[in-house]
Amino acid sequence: MKAIRIAALLALTAAAPALAENPMVGGAPMFEDKNIVENAVNSADHTTLVAAVQAAGLAETLSGPGPFTVFAPTNEAFAKLPAGTVETLLKPENKDQLVKILTCHVVAANAMAADIGKMIADDGGMHTIKTVGGCEFTAMEKDGKIMIKDGQGNVATVTIADVKQSNGVIHVIDTVLLPAM
């Protein structure tokens, strides 16, 4: 009887779809069957980003079907901005500017790191990324890491790549990307 239960359990396990293990982000597991917002709210490293997404009214959009590639700045990335910047952006009267900055972190595609790396290689070492917010950034690769140069010359490095979501992928970055002035 015990052997039959074990055999049944093994058969069920073998029939279950195999999901690759997503990396932990901000001390929390990231589940491939949850959307970008559902996962981001659990990351201790992305509380500022989550607050900004909510203040901008983008949570519903980023919970939608996508696909989206989100370059997700950490709390430390936001802390690099000049003092008071985040607080100012979170004010209701600055919502349009906040929406612009946040949507410049989103691409309407499901672009894994290998895909981005191939685009960089195919374009001779640099690839232009067009974002949902209308920004154009430059992706490049250095020492095996994907880097993105924003409209003001700041360079963000992807520190955790390929965090699969039900509606796209997150790449954690160490610098907030800003549109050209």
Side-chain angles (χ1 to χ4, degrees), residues 25-177:
V25 176
M30 298 286 115
F31 300 101
E32 194 172 336
D33 61 346
K34 292 189 178 203
N35 69 47
I36 290 164
V37 174
E38 290 171 329
N39 274 319
V41 298
N42 294 318
S43 169
D45 291 345
H46 290 90
T47 55
T48 304
L49 177 61
V50 169
V53 165
Q54 291 170 340
L58 294 172
E60 187 175 329
T61 300
L62 292 174
S63 296
F68 303 111
T69 296
V70 174
F71 294 99
T74 61
N75 296 339
E76 287 181 6
F78 280 101
K80 288 182 190 178
L81 294 171
T85 301
V86 173
E87 295 78 11
T88 299
L89 287 171
L90 292 176
K91 291 180 179 177
E93 62 268 24
N94 297 319
K95 183 178 177 179
D96 289 346
Q97 187 180 8
L98 180 61
V99 168
K100 174 72 172 176
I101 290 170
L102 293 175
T103 56
C104 282
H105 287 80
V106 181
V107 178
N110 189 3
M112 301 299 283
D115 301 324
I116 298 168
K118 182 174 179 344
M119 289 182 259
I120 292 167
D122 289 349
D123 287 351
M126 290 190 203
H127 176 74
T128 300
I129 296 174
K130 294 181 181 180
T131 71
V132 171
C135 295
E136 287 192 6
F137 298 144
T138 304
M140 58 205 127
E141 206 165 353
K142 183 178 179 187
D143 300 326
K145 294 244 184 211
I146 292 175
M147 303 170 89
I148 301 163
K149 186 175 182 181
D150 72 13
Q152 296 185 19
N154 302 308
V155 178
T157 300
V158 174
T159 58
I160 303 174
D162 297 341
V163 186
K164 296 176 187 170
Q165 315 290 299
S166 65
N167 61 345
V169 62
I170 291 174
H171 300 292
V172 177
I173 56 174
D174 65 356
T175 302
V176 176
L177 299 170

